Amino acid sequence: MTQPLYILLCSGEHEKVQMAAMMASVGAVSERPVEVFVSMNAMFAFEKGADPDKRYQGGAFSALLKEKKAPDAVMLFQQGKDLGDLKMWACSMALDVKGWELDRLEDGLFDGALGLTKFLSDAENGQFITL
């Protein structure tokens, strides 16, 4: 059995959100269970209705991703969910701090809110990556 992949995404940098999306979608379509925990500044990348040109903030490579019209990270996460075993969790503490509810995030992307302790406990038997 393939070891599950757990991605802790806390950076809002475009390059890191994009890498998380690529790893998650490739893992999921390769029949590998993937779980993504989104917290801190990464939450802003998933705000419902955000302008795609302003959703991501980053450095020189972010500008290239936008210029070359790389696939949108939110779309890649959605494809991973549609085609594989990909679950996404919003950090319950980050939601509380921001005063947001789950409905403030992109529709159909998140499986719910979760605490960090539960995510880390689940990740003990998988490959763990932090971005």
Side-chain angles (χ1 to χ4, degrees):
M1 180 175 172
T2 303
Q3 192 178 31
L5 176 62
Y6 291 88
I7 300 171
L8 173 63
L9 177 60
C10 52
S11 172
E13 275 184 62
H14 186 190
E15 295 88 338
K16 292 181 180 181
V17 174
Q18 189 77 23
M19 183 55 71
M22 292 187 305
M23 288 190 297
S25 62
V26 168
V29 299
S30 301
E31 300 183 7
R32 183 176 190 182
V34 179
E35 296 203 26
V36 180
F37 185 82
V38 177
S39 187
M40 306 295 175
N41 282 339
M43 300 288 281
F44 294 112
F46 297 94
E47 186 173 8
K48 187 188 305 181
D51 181 339
D53 289 333
K54 297 179 181 166
R55 175 184 300 272
Y56 307 111
Q57 305 299 317
F61 209 86
S62 173
L64 285 172
L65 289 168
K66 292 175 181 176
E67 178 186 318
K68 301 292 183 180
K69 303 198 182 309
D72 182 82
V74 169
M75 184 187 72
L76 289 174
F77 280 119
Q78 189 61 57
Q79 288 176 348
K81 287 187 70 71
D82 293 343
L83 302 173
D85 184 6
L86 171 59
K87 293 182 177 68
M88 292 190 65
W89 305 104
C91 173
S92 56
M93 186 274 307
L95 287 172
D96 286 346
V97 168
K98 292 179 189 315
W100 288 8
E101 300 291 332
L102 273 173
D103 63 1
R104 181 91 179 247
L105 302 174
E106 287 290 336
D107 289 331
L109 204 54
F110 287 87
D111 294 275
L114 193 68
L116 179 60
T117 302
K118 171 72 170 127
F119 183 77
L120 292 176
S121 175
D122 292 347
E124 287 181 2
N125 295 318
Q127 183 179 9
F128 186 80
I129 297 170
T130 303
L131 293 168

